[in-house]
Amino acid sequence: MKPVTEATAVKAPVLPDAQTVLEVKHWTDRLFSFKVTRPQSLRFRSGEFVMIGLLGDNGKPLLRAYSIASPSWDEELEFYSIKVQDGPLTSKLQHIQPGDQIILRPKPVGTLVHDALLPGKRLWFFATGTGFAPFASLLREPQTYEDYDEVIITHTCREVAELEYGRQLIESIRKDELLAELIGEGFADKIRYYPTTTREQSPKMGRITDLLKDGTVFKDLGIEGGIKPETDRAMVCGSLAFNHDIKAILEDFGLREGANSDPKEFVIEKAFVG
Ligand code: A2P
């Protein structure tokens, strides 16, 4: 290894595909979000993910898939992450500070994109935990509101504090004048936010899967007849178990799983990094 002189410390590209950390925010002892510079050449569709990471102790890149939480038009890239104390990547990543560098492979992919859904009227985003991230992007994407009359975002977390990133983001979207200019006045009226907790008291308790099965969601939101394949589309991002359970529920409602090459009524992606 070369000795790090002042000159090399500033100029040398310390990491391959390096991007600079701009901002870090810790939400709970298990959750944080951060922003990094966007590579000029990076084009992505809102809802996609990229591989990001750090150099491992062996000097090799240690990378994981992360949904981009910022919209495709944004100058910066935002990510929302869990902190796993013994996790190979997140045990280190949680300590990044503005000015640090991370590795970002500029090859976006993913199924939570508008192209993977057939046209519809009402779009459901179903998230648990950090599965909120791709929807943080899609909620700021003009096409979401051009394509749908109504956008329902459900977010289930264990505790109230874990909802905070999503709650604040939706609040800021509702007040954002730039977005209103970009998307059209009144766009935010289409957003319906349905947060639930499972292990701490909050206004709406329970797993979203149970609340869908017993009809509580539809009663609360005033939706007659539940989810219908003619009008409703859904994107899902959560743990494997959650994805499995909600897939069965959506299929019971008559929706079929789609893909980029074969758009249908719903799409699913695992929330990455455990
Ligand atoms: P629960 O507390 O009942 O397990 P986690 O932090 O483990 O990723 O979970 C995030 C949220 O997702 C929790 O509120 C958890 O509820 C919920 N959850 C986990 N598995 C499922 C599932 N199979 N169906 C619905 N919700 C789930």
Side-chain angles (χ1 to χ4, degrees):
M1 204 189 233
K2 274 200 280 181
V4 178
T5 63
E6 249 182 54
T8 57
V10 176
K11 281 191 204 141
V14 184
L15 301 170
D17 288 330
Q19 296 301 321
T20 304
V21 177
L22 301 169
E23 200 182 301
V24 184
K25 196 160 177 186
H26 293 270
W27 297 90
T28 69
D29 55 4
R30 287 177 69 222
L31 294 167
F32 72 116
S33 62
F34 55 96
K35 291 184 182 170
V36 304
T37 49
R38 177 171 177 168
Q40 283 215 323
S41 60
L42 176 66
R43 297 279 172 275
F44 67 97
R45 294 177 293 176
S46 293
E48 288 187 312
F49 65 85
V50 286
M51 302 299 290
I52 66 171
L54 297 168
L55 276 190
D57 292 337
N58 60 2
K60 289 195 183 142
L62 181 58
L63 304 173
R64 293 287 182 271
Y66 270 83
S67 289
I68 303 172
S70 45
S72 60
W73 51 263
D74 208 341
E75 281 172 19
E76 299 166 353
L77 295 177
E78 182 183 336
F79 298 97
Y80 183 47
S81 179
I82 196 150
K83 308 178 201 174
V84 183
Q85 292 321 323
D86 55 359
L89 178 62
T90 62
S91 61
K92 295 198 177 75
L93 194 65
Q94 63 181 289
H95 299 298
I96 53 168
Q97 304 273 352
D100 290 350
Q101 295 196 332
I102 66 159
I103 305 167
L104 190 152
R105 298 272 191 256
K107 292 190 186 69
V109 281
T111 57
L112 301 183
V113 291
H114 284 302
D115 297 345
L117 292 178
L118 293 170
K121 290 201 181 316
R122 184 162 52 207
L123 179 60
W124 296 79
F125 293 146
F126 294 109
T128 61
T130 54
F132 190 88
F135 306 131
S137 174
L138 283 155
L139 282 166
R140 291 178 275 181
E141 167 60 49
Q143 194 185 349
T144 301
Y145 307 94
E146 285 158 16
D147 288 1
Y148 295 92
D149 299 338
E150 201 178 358
V151 181
I152 302 171
I153 164 89
T154 84
H155 192 195
T156 299
C157 291
R158 296 179 189 189
E159 293 162 16
V160 174
E162 295 170 341
L163 292 169
E164 199 54 19
Y165 170 80
R167 195 191 65 73
Q168 284 191 24
L169 184 98
I170 290 168
E171 196 178 281
S172 74
I173 290 175
R174 289 197 165 120
K175 285 195 256 176
D176 197 315
E177 288 174 12
L178 189 86
L179 273 177
E181 213 173 285
L182 196 75
I183 301 174
E185 221 45 67
F187 83 94
D189 298 340
K190 293 185 174 184
I191 305 174
R192 307 194 69 187
Y193 176 45
Y194 195 84
T196 84
T197 57
T198 51
R199 302 194 195 185
E200 189 186 1
Q201 198 64 41
S202 75
K204 186 52 67 178
M205 299 276 307
R207 290 180 163 196
I208 192 68
T209 41
D210 295 333
L211 300 168
L212 282 167
K213 278 192 268 186
D214 70 9
T216 304
V217 179
F218 308 122
K219 208 161 84 197
D220 287 344
L221 296 173
I223 293 172
E224 299 258 334
I227 291 175
K228 296 193 264 316
E230 300 78 36
T231 47
D232 292 72
R233 301 292 172 261
M235 295 192 186
V236 176
C237 190
S239 63
L240 269 182
F242 170 71
N243 289 359
H244 175 267
D245 291 354
I246 203 144
K247 178 179 154 87
I249 292 171
L250 292 173
E251 286 176 346
D252 278 350
F253 280 117
L255 275 60
R256 298 162 303 164
E257 185 171 359
N260 271 275
S261 54
D262 185 20
K264 290 212 166 81
E265 290 91 22
F266 75 91
V267 279
I268 294 199
E269 202 130 77
K270 185 175 153 299
F272 302 101
V273 186

